Structure formats: C-alpha cells, structure tokens
C-alpha cells in the first residue's frame, strides 16, 4: 500500500515535470493528425520514416544546441556551420576519401565553436551578439568558397553513410539520430560532465565556487553545438548528393523552437535531449501532416502557427492541472 | 565552555595582509582556531571580514602573512588549494544550483563515479551511492529533509543552509568557514542553524563564523575575534564579555590587547 | 516561369529584403549550372499550349478514374498562385483531386522533404518546378517510382528521360518575349531614337535569353540607336543605374529593363529626375508599374506571360499522359504585348482574375 502510494506520487511528479510538456504536445498533435488524416497515408510506417529522415539534420542540430543552451549560451551560428561544413566536406570529397572529408567538415564545427567560445569569454560579450557575428562571417565564407555554386557529391559510400543508407532495414539517418541523441542523453543525464554543464548554466558563480572550470565547460558546450551542426551539414550533403551555401539557413528558428518546446531552458541550467528530439519530430509531423491535408501553402503557414499555439496551450494546461 | 590553549590548533593565521591598490583591506590579521572550536569573526562594515574569508578560501591570495593548517604551513592560491588543505567555505549565497536536487548539490564537482573502471573513466555517476551518502551526511547533522529528489529552489532557507553546511562537512573538512549563515533566516531557522553549528563543532570541526548578529555570536561561539580597519584588534572568550563589550570593540570605542 | 515573379512576390508578401536577394541569388545559381536548360531549338520546335486539348470522351474516362495530383512548387508568389489556380481548375474539370500543394521556399532540402511527403499520398500526377536539379533528382525518382506522371515547369531534371521519367516541360516562349519587347520599343520610339538598355548581368537562363532576343530583334530597326548599356545584379541597383544613365545621356528617349520589379527602380529614378518623356519597356505585370502606365507616365509597355495558362497546360499534359498520350518535350505558353490600351484584358489573360480596383480606377481617370 505504502509502496503504491509512493509510486503514484512519483508518477505525479513525473507528470508535472516541465520536461513532460513535450510529450503532451507531441501526442496531441500526433493524435490530431491521425484523426484528421485517417484516410491518407499519414499513419504509415514509411511516412514516419520519411519524417525521421527529413528531420535528421535538424535533430542533430537541436541536440547540439541543447548543450550550448545548457550552459546558458545561445548559438546562432549553427545554421551557417551546416552550410560551410557541407561545402567543405563536398569539396574535400573531390580530392580525398571519406575519412578526411568528414574530418575536415567536422573540424569546421570544432573551429567555429572554439572561436565562438574564446570570443565570448575574452570579450565578455553575450553569446547572442558574438554568434550573430560569426554567423554572418561564416555565411559569407560559405558563399565565397564556391562562389555560390553548389558542389555535387558522387561518392556513393558517402551518400550511403550520411544519406540514403540502410542498416538492418533501418534508415541510416534514424541511426544517426539515435546514436547522437543517445550519446548526448548519456552525457547530460549520466555523466559528471553533463552535471557540470548544467551547473554552469544553473549558477555559474556557485559552479566556480565549487571548483568547476566554468570557462572551459562553456567552451566545450559551444564546440559541441557547432560540431553537431557540422555533422548535420554532412547529413544534408549525403541526403541531397551535394552541398550548397543555403543549407541550414532556414533551420535556425525551427531548431530553437523545437528545443524550447522540448523543455530546455533558453537561459541555461535545464536541458532535455529527448524533448529536443521529440520537438524536431513534432515540427516534422506538423509539416508533413499539413502537406498531406492538401492545404495551400498560405493555409499551411497559418495552420502551423495555430497548431503550435493550441498544442502549447494544452500542454501548459495539462501541467497545471496535474 | 572555553577550551584550553592545550587544544590542538586547526587554523593559524599570522600577519595576513591584503591591499587593493591603495586600500589596505587587511593590515595585520593574526589569530588561531582550535579543533572543535567556534570562533566568531566580528567587525564593522568594511573592516575586512569578507576579504579575510576570501584569502582563506582561496579566492584571493594574501599579499603576505602565513596560513597554517594543523600546524603545517599551506599556500592557498585557489579554491581547490583551500579544499585540499581541509578548508571548506559556506558562501553567503550558498553556492547552490537551484535546478539541482539535494544530492546533486551535495556532490557537485565531487561526484561519486561508477565502480566499473571504464564507466568510471567516462565519468559515469553512481547516483545510488551518492544518495546513500547524502542520507548519512544529513542524518549525522540531525537534519530532516523532505525528499532527496527535491530541487534546491523548493527548499526553505534553513534547509538550504543545512545542505550547504552538510556539503562542507561531508568532505571531511577540518575547518569550515561560514559567511553570515543566518543573515536571511527567520528566528526558528536561525536556531536550527545554530544547532547545526554546535553539532559539527562537537564532531571536532573548527568553525569560523562571520556574523553581524550579536545574539547569534553569543549563543554559538566560543571565542570572538574582532577586526577593526583591517587588523585583528581583539580576541576574547565570549563567555567573559558582554554584548556591549563586543559592540564597543567593533566600533573601536573600546580596546583590548589582542 | 519568370524570375521577376518570384522577386516581386516577395515584395507582395512583405518578406524582408534579405530574402529577396537570397531567393534571387539562389535562383541565379540554380540555373547557373547551365547546359541543363531548355534551349533555343527546343523552344522553336516546341508544341504550343493551344494545341493541347482533351476530347469529351477523354475527360469522361479521366473522371471515372478518380485520380489525384500534387503540386510541388519552388516558392510562393502571386505568379505561382496563378499557376496553381490554372492547374487546380483544370484538374477539377477532369475530376482530378489536388491532394497536396507544397512550397520549397527555394530550399532544395525542403523540396526533397516535400517530395517525400507527397509520395506517401501516391498522386497520379505531379506538377513541379525543381529548385535544384542535382539534389532533388533522387526524390523525384522516388516520387515517380509508383508510376506518377511528372510534368515540369521551365527546368529539366538532370538525367531524366523524356516520356520515360517525365511527360514534358511547359515554359514561356522567352525568345518570343524578347522579340515582342523589341517590337514595343520600336512602337514607342516610332522606329527611330536613342535607347538605353539595363540588362540582367548574371547567369540566368530566362532573362539572358529574353535580353538576347531583344537585342537581336532590334537590329531590324536601324534607326534605333543603343547609346548605352548597363548591367545590374540586384534589383535595388537599377534606380542608381538609371539615374546615372540619364544624367550622362540626357538625350535618351527610351530604356529597356529586364523585368518589372527592376523597372520600378528605373521609373522611380525618372520620376525624381522629372523626365516623364523617357519611355520604359520591360517584362511582366506588376501593379505599381501598371499604375504608372495607366496614368501615362514612363512605362510604355510590357510583355506578360500567362501563369494561369501555364498551370492549365501542365494539368492537361499530365492528364493526357495518364491516357497514354505523348507530349512534346517542350510546350510553350503564349504571352501578351501590354500597353495602356489592353491592361485589363492582359491582366485577365494572365491571372484569370479581374484587374485590381486601384488599377481600374486609375484607368477610368
Ligand atoms: N575587490 C576589492 N577591490 C578593492 N577594494 C576592496 C575589494 N574588496 C574589498 N575591498 C575593500 O576592502 C575593505 C574591506 O572590505 P570587506 O572585506 O568587504 O569588509 P567587510 O566584509 O568586513 O564588510 C573595504 O574598504 C573594501 O572597500
Ligand atoms: Mg562582507
């Protein structure tokens, strides 16, 4: 009896948790479309695989951004890193093999993260301003790099690995999402590193007083964020058989919205990887569902906004009522 | 209850000096704390109390002077040095992460890692072990806590103070420094903290207590050291003086040879 | 499809100016990889949209099939809306249901996703304009793997084989449009005078061809002298270019500029220089410039394509393909020479919608 009470209590606590918010929204929207679109292919396995594949680069970006947000930084440069890394990867593929191309592309991410982090710490300027600046610089470099031309990729191993491949019947893009998401989940929830990350975001003064190397941790978080974006760039390049300077440009706001809906605080200290992934999938589902519903594109835009607002309202209400 | 000078000295400060540009925040601070003793550090605003605490806890390096812990001279250049020397500080703002629960805060940056060597290398946390030790540590201080999963920002000020003190003691500190631990607390919670201080000193921990509250000092401290314009001007057994005496020393109206 | 429509639409929908230049540069690059466009020969040999007709019997047979169609566009604008409108109304006459409309926002990644999304609906007909032939190719292939008939607008897709992979391409007669613009210029100058040209100085198939055809056709009017030519990359540059051009050559009598929203800058410059005597000739229909034309100011005439007919033609080709009919590789849709006298009918022709009130009022004054 007592044990039962306890578990009930625990259940309630879980249900009331801020992070639970995304589950309400996610399943509400899913349910909504499942009913409205019951006579279409919405509720089919292949449709969901489509959504997962489409949102794979976004989920990876969202996971990375969660790290930056966890320490209390915003990283606006991720969209531009996607483009630059994809271009660098595609260009390198014309001269070398996959390992060097991938390394070069990821190095773009590491470097940008490092520069972002060092500038923020040295100049003591908000991450918003610094990454807004680097976003512009990187976008410019990406445009300059190939003079706005797109770079095709013909290496089939690459497009398999980062795009169209399947492993044990599972789309490789889903695998990427699960592996990166899983690693991030473990780091944030199970490892000391994640604890320190959140401590730095929650109260940097206290974290410093307890001997945590705040500056270094913030640097790592920004590197994680832009390196994830670089990986997202490779996934885009693999999926599209080529790179172009516009990749990722439109994704920044979607990713920020997805991460925020997923329960990660935009001001540091609270992070939820599962929420970030469900958040991006939610965006994908809404997009997909609206297209399948046959709305015109203007109507789709309106409906997307309405659904988001309703979903958020319902999620908030559920949490309040417990 | 004044302990004799035969007691073992836990912390010995001699001629600590620290200035910021032209401001001589600490001119000459000399006093000792014995094991199991609670020493109140008194002084007017700007007397140098906070600066002294920061010198001992490694936030500032003193310009000159010597710090001995358990008879051995130590060099403290960082909070880690202080901790390594056995000095823990309960900061005024408590240095807690509001979103973290009790266990997470207690073990911040001293997490217990998994026993498996590979997982340990990765920094995998052993949450069970930490919860167990947290329970023990808080029991030792007779502190009752609603739930170990409770986030810090849901706790009362007294409970938070208790957690902060438990965290300091939990690390086997020989010396615990507390900066205004009851400043933000009501009467009842202040009393709880006073009890806590007594509990830890009875376990042999030396406590340096910074306080403005005379009543608090009189109730909990064995001795009082008074800072006046950066110098230690008095070192008295609390039982032998009145509150008025202390106030006189703090304001500089009264003088006793230190 | 005309470039200017996309740009102009951005204005209409109040997108930030950045996205205008973004879309613009993107378009420029997406067609910059050339070789892959409809060429002069295929246009001269092209079928004409008025030849595409379905018999009542064919329509009845289509109606019995309960077919579906999806429209996979590159962007959204008033022009694209008119294409969609033409396609939808034509489809509905055949009992074909449009189950999805998508807008790639000029983003190939988005278009790939759009194609995947509509694929699960298994449409029988897909009408589309590809944003980027290379990166979207696979998704088109998947989308037609279940037998869907693909009708393309303007841009071919790399490696796709006519009849096997797609039904055909529907496009404007860009050579004819350039030539018609030259004829309007001759009319405006009464066969002789001094002309300035403000041309699109970027690798963009459609505008390049129109501008080229314009110059070629002008050769038949020896008394029209091109006294100055200046290129522009962004629409925002045309105002300064035109001002400089007129200051340097005050004797100038007419200016040709590549498309309507670029012409807005030219007309603005002429207004501030107080030169209502200089005639402007361009392509496409835009409300602002038509107002100028209606009030007898600078715009003499413009060449307008027919987006509604483009959509309707695409729909007919797709439907006919279902019945096994084979389309020509390229089908062209006619255009209209527009001057003050036929604004109303040309607008009607292009959009199958009444003229905006503002314009009607201006014309009545
Ligand atoms: N970082 C600093 N820079 C300059 N002056 C300081 C600094 N910290 C403290 N002081 C000065 O040193 C003196 C002692 O200050 P403090 O130790 O805060 O006193 P208390 O804590 O006893 O009120 C004051 O005059 C104060 O202005
Ligand atoms: Mg102070």
């Amino acid at each position: 009896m007592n044990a039962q009470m306890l578990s009930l209590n625990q259940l309630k606590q879980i249900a009331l948790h801020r992070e639970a918010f995304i589950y309400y929204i996610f399943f509400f929207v899913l349910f909504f479309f499942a009913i409205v679109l019951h006579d279409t292919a919405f509720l089919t396995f292949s449709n969901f695989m489509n959504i997962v594949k489409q949102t794979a680069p976004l989920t990876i970006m969202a996971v990375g951004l969660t790290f930056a947000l966890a320490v209390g930084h915003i990283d606006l440069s991720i969209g531009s890193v996607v483009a630059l890394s994809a271009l660098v990867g595609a260009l390198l593929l014309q001269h070398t093999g996959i390992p060097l191309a991938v390394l070069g592309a990821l190095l773009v991410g590491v470097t940008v993260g490092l520069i972002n982090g060092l500038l923020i710490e040295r100049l003591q300027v908000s991450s918003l301003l610094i990454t807004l600046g680097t976003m512009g610089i990187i976008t410019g470099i990406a445009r300059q790099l190939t003079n706005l031309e797109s770079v095709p990729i013909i290496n089939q191993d690459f497009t398999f690995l980062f795009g169209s491949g399947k492993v044990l019947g599972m789309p490789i893009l889903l695998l990427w999402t699960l592996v990166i998401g899983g690693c991030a989940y473990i780091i944030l929830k199970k490892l000391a590193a994640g604890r320190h990350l959140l401590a730095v975001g929650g109260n940097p003064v206290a974290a410093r007083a307890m001997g945590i190397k705040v500056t270094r941790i913030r640097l790592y978080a920004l590197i994680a964020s832009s390196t994830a974006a670089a990986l997202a760039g490779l996934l885009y390049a693999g999926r599209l058989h080529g790179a172009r300077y516009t990749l990722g440009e439109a994704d920044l706001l979607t990713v920020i919205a997805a991460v925020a809906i997923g329960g990660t605080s935009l001001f540091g200290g609270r992070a939820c990887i599962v929420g970030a992934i469900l958040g991006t999938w939610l965006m994908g589902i809404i997009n997909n569902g609206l297209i399948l519903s046959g709305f015109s594109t203007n109507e789709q835009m309106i409906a997307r906004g309405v659904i988001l607002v309703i979903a958020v309202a319902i999620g908030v209400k559920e949490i309040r009522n417990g | 209850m004044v302990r004799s000078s035969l007691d073992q000295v836990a912390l010995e400060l001699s001629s600590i000096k620290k200035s910021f540009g032209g401001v001589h925040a600490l001119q000459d601070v000399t006093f000792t704390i014995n094991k199991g003793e609670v020493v109140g550090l008194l002084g007017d605003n700007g007397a140098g109390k906070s600066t002294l605490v920061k010198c001992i806890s490694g936030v500032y390096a003193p310009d000159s002077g010597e710090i001995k812990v358990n008879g051995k001279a130590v060099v403290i250049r960082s909070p880690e040095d202080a901790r390594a020397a056995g000095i823990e500080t309960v900061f005024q703002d408590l240095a807690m992460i509001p979103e973290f629960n009790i266990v997470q805060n207690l073990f911040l940056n001293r997490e217990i890692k998994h026993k498996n060597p590979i997982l340990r290398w990765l920094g995998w946390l052993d949450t069970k072990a930490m919860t167990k030790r947290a329970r023990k540590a808080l029991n030792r201080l007779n502190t009752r806590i609603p739930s170990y999963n409770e986030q810090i920002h849901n706790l009362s000020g007294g409970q938070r103070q208790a957690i902060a003190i438990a965290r300091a003691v939990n690390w086997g500190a020989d010396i615990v420094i507390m900066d205004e631990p009851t400043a933000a607390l009501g009467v009842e919670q202040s009393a709880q903290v006073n009890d806590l201080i007594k509990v830890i000193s009875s376990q042999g921990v030396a406590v340096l207590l910074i306080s403005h509250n005379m009543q608090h000092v009189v109730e909990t401290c064995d001795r009082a050291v008074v800072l006046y314009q950066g110098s230690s001007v008095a070192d008295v057994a609390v039982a032998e003086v009145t509150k008025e005496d202390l106030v006189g020393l703090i304001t500089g109206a009264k003088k006793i040879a230190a | 499809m005309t470039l200017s429509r996309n740009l102009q639409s951005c204005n209409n929908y109040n997108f930030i100016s950045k996205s205008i230049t973004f879309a613009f540069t993107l378009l420029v690059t997406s067609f910059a990889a050339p070789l892959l466009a409809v060429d002069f020969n295929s246009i001269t040999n092209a079928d004409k949209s008025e030849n595409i007709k379905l018999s009542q019997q064919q329509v009845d047979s289509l109606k019995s099939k309960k077919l579906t169609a999806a429209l996979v566009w590159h962007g959204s604008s008033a022009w694209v809306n008119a294409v969609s409108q033409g396609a939808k109304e034509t489809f509905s006459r055949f009992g074909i249901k449009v189950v999805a409309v998508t807008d790639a926002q000029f983003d190939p990644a988005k278009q790939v996703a759009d194609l995947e999304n509509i694929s699960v609906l298994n449409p029988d007909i897909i009408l589309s304009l590809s944003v980027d032939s290379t990166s979207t190719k696979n998704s088109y292939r998947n989308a037609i793997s279940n037998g869907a008939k693909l009708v393309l607008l303007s841009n071919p897709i790399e490696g796709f084989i006519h009849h096997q992979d797609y039904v055909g391409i529907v496009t404007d007669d860009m050579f004819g449009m350039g030539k018609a613009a030259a004829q309007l210029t001759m009319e405006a100058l009464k066969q002789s005078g001094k002309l300035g040209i403000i041309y699109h100085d970027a690798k963009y198939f459609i505008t390049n061809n129109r501008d080229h055809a314009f110059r070629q056709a002008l050769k038949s009017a020896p008394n029209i002298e091109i006294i100055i030519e200046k290129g522009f990359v962004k629409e925002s540059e045309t105002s300064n270019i035109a001002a400089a051009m007129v200051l340097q050559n005050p004797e100038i009598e007419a200016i040709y500029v590549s498309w309507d929203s670029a012409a807005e800058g030219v007309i603005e410059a002429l207004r501030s220089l107080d030169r209502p005597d200089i005639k402007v000739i361009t392509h496409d229909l835009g409300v602002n410039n038509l107002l100028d034309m209606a009030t007898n100011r600078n715009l003499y005439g413009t060449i307008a394509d027919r987006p509604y007919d483009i959509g309707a033609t695409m729909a007919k080709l797709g439907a006919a393909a279902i019945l096994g009919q084979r389309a020509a590789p390229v089908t062209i849709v006619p255009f209209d020479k527009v001057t003050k006298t036929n604004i109303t009918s040309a607008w009607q022709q292009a959009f199958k919608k009444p003229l905006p009130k503002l314009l009607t009022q201006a014309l009545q004054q």
Side-chain angles (χ1 to χ4, degrees):
Chain A
M1 183 65 198
N2 206 1
Q4 213 175 353
M5 292 284 286
L6 200 86
S7 70
L8 252 175
N9 237 341
Q10 278 173 341
L11 262 179
K12 203 170 168 185
Q13 234 181 14
I14 291 167
L16 284 171
H17 207 264
R18 277 299 294 264
E19 294 178 354
F21 184 60
I22 179 67
Y23 297 100
Y24 291 116
I25 299 181
F26 189 83
F27 288 105
F28 162 72
V29 171
L30 201 62
F31 196 63
F32 172 78
F33 277 123
I35 289 175
V36 174
L37 300 175
H38 64 95
D39 57 349
T40 72
F42 177 75
L43 263 185
T44 59
F45 182 73
S46 69
N47 191 42
F48 285 115
M49 282 302 122
N50 273 345
I51 295 172
V52 166
K53 282 190 282 182
Q54 289 160 13
T55 50
L58 291 173
T59 35
I60 305 293
M61 287 168 85
V63 166
L65 184 64
T66 304
F67 279 80
L69 292 172
V71 299
H73 280 330
I74 183 92
D75 187 350
L76 301 180
S77 67
I78 50 176
S80 59
V81 169
V82 166
L84 188 60
S85 104
L87 283 170
V88 166
L91 285 172
L92 285 175
L93 266 182
Q94 298 181 340
H95 306 288
T96 68
I98 293 178
L100 276 183
V102 170
L103 199 72
L106 293 181
L107 216 57
V108 168
V110 174
T111 312
V112 172
L114 200 66
I115 292 172
N116 279 339
L118 289 177
L119 284 175
I120 292 166
E121 297 297 335
R122 285 284 143 79
L123 302 178
Q124 292 290 311
V125 179
S126 83
S127 52
L128 186 85
L129 293 178
I130 294 287
T131 57
L132 189 67
T134 46
M135 169 174 88
I137 295 169
I138 298 159
T139 306
I141 294 174
R143 296 169 70 110
Q144 195 75 37
L145 191 63
T146 60
N147 200 16
L148 304 187
E149 304 266 357
S150 40
V151 185
I153 291 175
I154 42 172
N155 186 323
Q156 299 217 337
D157 293 332
F158 181 88
T159 53
F160 178 92
L161 206 55
F162 293 98
S164 49
K166 276 194 174 172
V167 176
L168 302 172
M170 199 202 301
I172 204 153
L173 288 171
L174 174 58
L175 206 64
W176 275 111
T177 306
L178 295 182
V179 167
I180 298 294
C183 287
Y185 179 86
I186 287 173
I187 290 173
L188 279 177
K189 288 267 162 163
K190 301 285 174 197
L191 303 189
R195 206 43 80 67
H196 294 178
L197 220 59
L198 291 168
V200 168
N203 183 352
V205 178
R208 190 168 280 137
M210 296 316 291
I212 291 175
K213 304 232 173 345
V214 174
T215 308
R216 193 180 299 175
I217 295 232
R218 282 190 184 140
L219 203 62
Y220 288 156
L222 283 166
I223 291 175
S225 159
S226 53
T227 308
L231 177 59
L234 289 174
L235 297 184
Y236 264 130
R239 210 165 113 72
L240 301 178
H241 296 238
R244 126 204 302 281
Y245 71 98
T246 51
L247 288 179
E249 198 166 50
D251 297 339
L252 181 67
L253 276 182
T254 313
V255 169
I256 292 178
V259 172
I261 279 192
T264 293
S265 161
L266 294 183
F267 308 102
R270 204 177 61 232
C272 181
I273 291 292
V274 180
I277 294 175
L278 287 182
T280 37
W281 282 352
L282 175 76
M283 299 294 176
I285 287 174
I286 292 178
N287 201 36
N288 173 273
L290 286 175
I291 285 176
L292 298 192
S293 62
F295 282 130
S296 79
T297 51
N298 295 349
E299 290 161 349
Q300 286 175 35
M301 274 188 192
I302 296 168
R304 183 167 312 138
V306 170
I307 289 175
L308 270 180
V309 171
I310 291 177
V312 168
I314 287 181
V316 169
K317 213 169 164 212
E318 287 294 322
I319 300 254
R320 295 244 170 88
N321 296 345
Chain B
M1 182 196 67
V2 184
R3 288 180 180 81
S4 76
S5 57
L6 289 176
D7 282 340
Q8 252 186 305
V9 176
L11 179 70
E12 182 175 349
L13 306 174
S14 18
S15 310
I16 303 288
K17 289 191 175 60
K18 175 76 187 174
S19 37
F20 301 98
V23 182
H24 301 289
L26 300 177
Q27 309 220 20
D28 173 17
V29 178
T30 304
F31 66 90
T32 61
I33 312 179
N34 292 335
K35 280 196 172 168
E37 192 178 32
V38 182
V39 172
L41 184 65
L42 306 180
D44 212 348
N45 269 338
K49 304 181 298 289
S50 293
T51 306
L52 182 65
V53 168
K54 284 175 182 162
C55 283
I56 305 172
S57 60
V59 178
Y60 297 148
D63 297 338
S64 67
E66 199 182 34
I67 302 177
K68 280 187 185 172
V69 174
N70 295 331
K72 263 192 283 178
V74 290
V75 180
I76 297 175
R77 302 213 173 280
S78 67
E80 289 82 74
D81 289 347
R83 228 159 262 155
I87 303 170
E88 285 288 339
T89 309
V90 178
F91 292 94
Q92 210 159 0
D93 63 5
L94 301 180
M96 294 277 178
I97 313 296
E99 291 89 354
F100 279 15
N101 67 27
I102 293 167
V103 180
Q104 288 168 336
N105 265 298
L106 270 177
F107 287 86
L108 187 54
N109 204 23
R110 285 126 156 182
E111 295 83 3
I112 300 178
K113 310 275 167 63
H114 204 276
K115 287 190 194 70
N116 178 318
I118 299 171
L119 292 181
R120 186 182 193 78
W121 177 81
L122 280 173
W124 202 286
L125 303 171
D126 189 343
T127 312
K128 253 194 202 141
M130 286 191 273
T131 312
K132 215 166 138 191
R133 276 210 26 203
R135 188 166 289 137
K136 247 190 216 160
L138 291 173
N139 280 345
R140 201 168 71 141
L141 300 181
N142 299 329
T143 313
R144 242 168 280 130
I145 293 297
S147 153
Y148 292 84
N149 288 323
E150 200 64 64
Q151 289 184 342
I152 285 291
H153 62 78
N154 293 334
L155 298 184
S156 73
Q159 285 169 329
R160 284 186 220 187
Q161 196 73 44
I163 309 290
I165 293 170
R167 179 165 68 182
V169 193
N170 192 29
W171 299 102
D174 299 315
I175 300 140
V176 172
I177 304 169
M178 299 186 202
D179 198 351
E180 302 274 4
T182 56
L185 299 184
V187 179
E188 197 177 322
Q189 296 194 333
S190 294
Q192 281 169 9
V193 171
N194 285 351
D195 289 344
L196 209 52
I197 292 171
K198 282 184 187 136
V199 172
I200 67 172
S201 68
S202 73
Q203 290 167 359
V205 175
V207 178
L208 181 63
L209 180 74
I210 290 98
S211 184
H212 265 110
N213 184 335
M214 259 346 110
Q215 186 61 32
H216 187 203
V217 171
V218 170
E219 276 170 16
T220 49
C221 296
D222 305 311
R223 271 190 309 126
V225 172
V226 179
L227 290 190
Y228 183 72
Q229 294 181 352
S231 301
S232 46
V233 293
D235 186 342
V236 296
V238 169
E240 292 165 5
V241 292
T242 62
K243 266 195 246 177
E244 288 68 34
D245 292 337
L246 288 175
V247 172
L249 288 165
I250 289 167
T251 56
K254 195 176 157 148
K255 286 203 173 77
I256 292 181
Chain C
M1 197 220 58
T2 56
L3 169 67
S4 42
R5 297 297 179 187
N6 302 311
L7 300 169
Q8 181 198 325
S9 71
C10 291
N11 279 328
N12 290 350
Y13 287 93
N14 278 332
F15 286 155
I16 48 172
S17 65
K18 192 193 148 232
S19 74
I20 298 176
T21 42
F22 155 61
F24 169 80
T25 36
L26 192 142
L27 269 171
V28 168
T29 46
S30 56
F31 304 107
L35 304 175
L36 245 187
V38 183
D39 59 13
F40 183 74
N41 279 335
S42 50
I43 292 231
T44 41
N45 299 332
D47 201 352
K48 302 234 174 336
S49 58
E50 64 254 38
N51 299 339
I52 316 293
K53 287 196 179 93
L54 278 80
S55 68
Q56 189 56 46
Q57 198 185 350
Q58 283 177 309
V59 172
D60 290 341
S61 135
L62 284 169
K63 275 186 180 158
S64 67
K65 288 189 189 324
K66 297 218 179 313
L67 299 169
T68 59
L71 317 181
V72 181
W73 300 136
H74 53 299
S76 47
S77 64
W79 191 85
V80 174
N81 284 347
V83 176
S84 288
Q85 194 66 24
K88 278 185 182 165
E89 290 180 11
T90 308
F91 276 138
S92 88
R93 273 193 277 124
F94 304 153
I96 299 172
K97 194 179 165 208
V98 174
V99 288
V101 186
T102 67
D103 160 17
Q105 290 157 20
F106 300 99
D107 179 357
K110 170 90 166 61
Q111 190 162 48
V112 165
D114 288 343
L115 284 164
E116 286 168 355
N117 288 337
I118 62 118
S119 292
V120 302
L121 295 172
N122 276 322
D124 303 290
I125 303 168
I126 299 172
L127 310 186
S128 183
L129 189 152
S130 157
V131 174
D132 177 72
S133 160
T134 327
S135 51
T136 54
K137 187 170 90 185
N138 274 345
S139 316
Y140 277 109
R141 206 167 269 303
N142 279 336
I144 59 174
S145 64
N146 286 340
K149 301 289 178 194
L150 174 64
V151 185
L152 294 168
L153 176 44
S154 290
N155 298 341
I157 291 170
E158 193 178 70
F160 269 33
I161 299 164
H162 184 224
H163 293 319
Q164 185 183 312
D165 298 321
Y166 67 100
V167 173
I169 298 173
V170 176
T171 185
D172 283 333
D173 176 5
M174 48 198 117
F175 301 101
M177 290 175 79
K179 197 171 157 191
Q183 288 163 358
L184 274 183
T185 308
M186 294 177 211
E187 281 173 44
L189 293 176
K190 307 214 167 57
Q191 300 299 334
S192 93
K194 295 188 162 47
L195 176 70
I197 293 182
I198 299 179
Y199 63 95
H200 187 204
D201 190 10
K203 247 188 183 173
Y204 182 71
F205 185 73
I206 292 169
T207 54
N208 293 165
N209 280 333
R210 277 193 327 217
D211 292 353
H212 178 75
F214 173 78
R215 284 197 195 88
Q216 287 293 321
L218 263 192
K219 287 186 180 151
S220 66
N223 292 331
I224 292 182
E225 188 193 349
I226 300 173
I227 55 168
I228 182 165
E229 288 196 42
K230 282 253 155 63
F232 71 95
V233 179
K234 291 186 197 153
E235 294 178 340
S236 55
E237 298 164 2
T238 56
S239 174
N240 289 338
I241 292 175
M245 194 177 254
V246 172
L247 288 173
Q248 269 171 20
N249 310 278
E251 73 278 20
I252 214 163
E253 290 163 82
I255 295 177
Y256 165 83
V257 50
S258 292
W259 69 84
D260 175 78
S261 39
E264 285 191 10
V266 176
I267 289 172
E268 175 209 315
L270 294 178
R271 258 185 218 147
S272 63
L273 290 171
D274 197 23
R275 292 293 303 267
D277 55 306
I278 300 178
K279 305 267 184 276
V280 175
I281 294 94
T282 188
H283 294 279
D284 311 338
L285 298 176
V287 173
N288 287 351
N289 286 340
L290 289 179
L291 268 172
D292 178 88
M293 192 197 288
T295 50
N296 288 319
R297 301 278 304 190
N298 298 94
L299 187 63
Y300 175 79
T302 184
I303 308 298
D305 63 358
R306 299 178 182 174
Y308 183 96
D309 284 349
I310 290 178
T313 306
M314 291 178 83
K316 282 186 220 161
L317 285 181
I322 294 274
L323 300 175
Q325 210 159 303
R326 298 190 137 210
V330 175
T331 304
I332 53 170
V333 176
F335 53 84
D336 295 289
K337 268 180 11 191
V338 188
T339 54
K340 196 189 169 187
T341 51
N342 65 341
I343 291 181
T344 312
S345 63
W347 184 280
Q348 183 74 34
Q349 191 66 263
F351 299 112
K352 298 288 187 289
K353 261 199 245 174
L355 195 65
K357 259 219 185 81
L358 206 61
L359 268 171
T360 321
Q361 286 166 355
L363 280 170
Q364 281 162 356
Q365 276 166 16

